[in-house]
Structure formats: C-alpha cells, structure tokens
Amino acid sequence: MPRLPDKSAVHEAVLGAIKQRLSQTQETLRHSHAAATHEEARADNKYDTRSLEMSYLATGMTDRIAQLRQVLSAYHFWTLPERADVVRPGALVVLLDEEDVPLRCYIAPYGSADTVVVEEMKIRVITLKAPLGRALVGKSEGDEVSVKVDGVIRSWELDVIC
C-alpha cells in the first residue's frame, strides 16, 4: 500500500500555498500599480497604452486577491474530516494507474489546483471543479475512475482513502 503523509499536514501545506499565492499576488499588484502611475508610463501619443494596460493588470490582480481572501475565509470556517470512507472534500487519496504508479491527491473544498510537498511526497491538490475531482466524488476504495485528459482517456484505480 502506498504511504501517505499526515492529512492535517497536507491541509496545512495547502493553506500555506494559498497564503503564499496571496502574498505573491499582492506584490505583483504593488508593482503593476507603481508601473501604471509611474511618470514613464504616461502616454507619448494617443496610441501609447502602457499605463492603461498596467491599470488593467492591477484590476485583475485586485480581483485575484479578493478571490484568494475569500478562499482563506472559507477554509477558516471549514472542518477537515477525520476519516473518509468515500471520496469527498478533505479526503487524501492514492490512485494507481495501469502501471501501478501512485498519484497522491488531496481533494480540496476550495481554491484551485496546485501541488504541495509534504514529507518529501508530492500531493496534487484537486478541487471539485476539476474533471478528476468530479469523477472521484463518492467513490470508494477499489473503484475505477476514468477521465479524458488532453483528448486521451486516463484511468486509475482508487487504492487508498483517508
């Protein structure tokens, strides 16, 4: 049976990744805001749109920051389940492909896809928005899951749920 790290450690790593992404996005926002308002960003002629483009980027970053804060807030009120008999948000699973290569996944209730490393193991973070996440929900150990990835159908056996 493939080894799994502690589920609460995986959960904390996911939260850490979201917080890091938030910090990076805030830094990008600061840079894009400074670039949009910098003296050199002023239009040289009516076709020069540098300042406008930087302001669009700043607006996008502001929206992304709001989304990340909303995700962190939702996690604050969510409780990690102790053990899962079927795949659901908060479950840590091991999938085996046709060659018995393990894919370790954490089913995240919120956020976006990512990969975290816990106890020297890569854990793919999957949300229910992803095709694999949708296919896994409600499945039990021993069930097979198939998903079309880049036009190719990939199959896995659900080996472990915790």
Side-chain angles (χ1 to χ4, degrees), residues 95-116:
L95 303 171
L96 297 176
D97 66 9
E98 294 88 8
E99 297 165 3
D100 286 339
V101 175
L103 174 63
R104 293 168 182 88
C105 302
Y106 174 75
I107 311 303
Y110 313 102
S112 57
D114 207 345
T115 299
V116 296

Side-chain angles (χ1 to χ4, degrees), residues 93-139:
V93 302
V94 177
L95 303 171
L96 297 176
D97 66 9
E98 294 88 8
E99 297 165 3
D100 286 339
V101 175
L103 174 63
R104 293 168 182 88
C105 302
Y106 174 75
I107 311 303
Y110 313 102
S112 57
D114 207 345
T115 299
V116 296
V117 177
V118 179
E119 297 175 17
E120 299 180 13
M121 283 181 264
K122 286 186 179 180
I123 309 291
R124 180 189 267 173
V125 180
I126 299 175
T127 66
L128 301 180
K129 294 178 183 176
L132 182 56
R134 287 192 304 270
L136 283 169
V137 170
K139 300 290 186 189

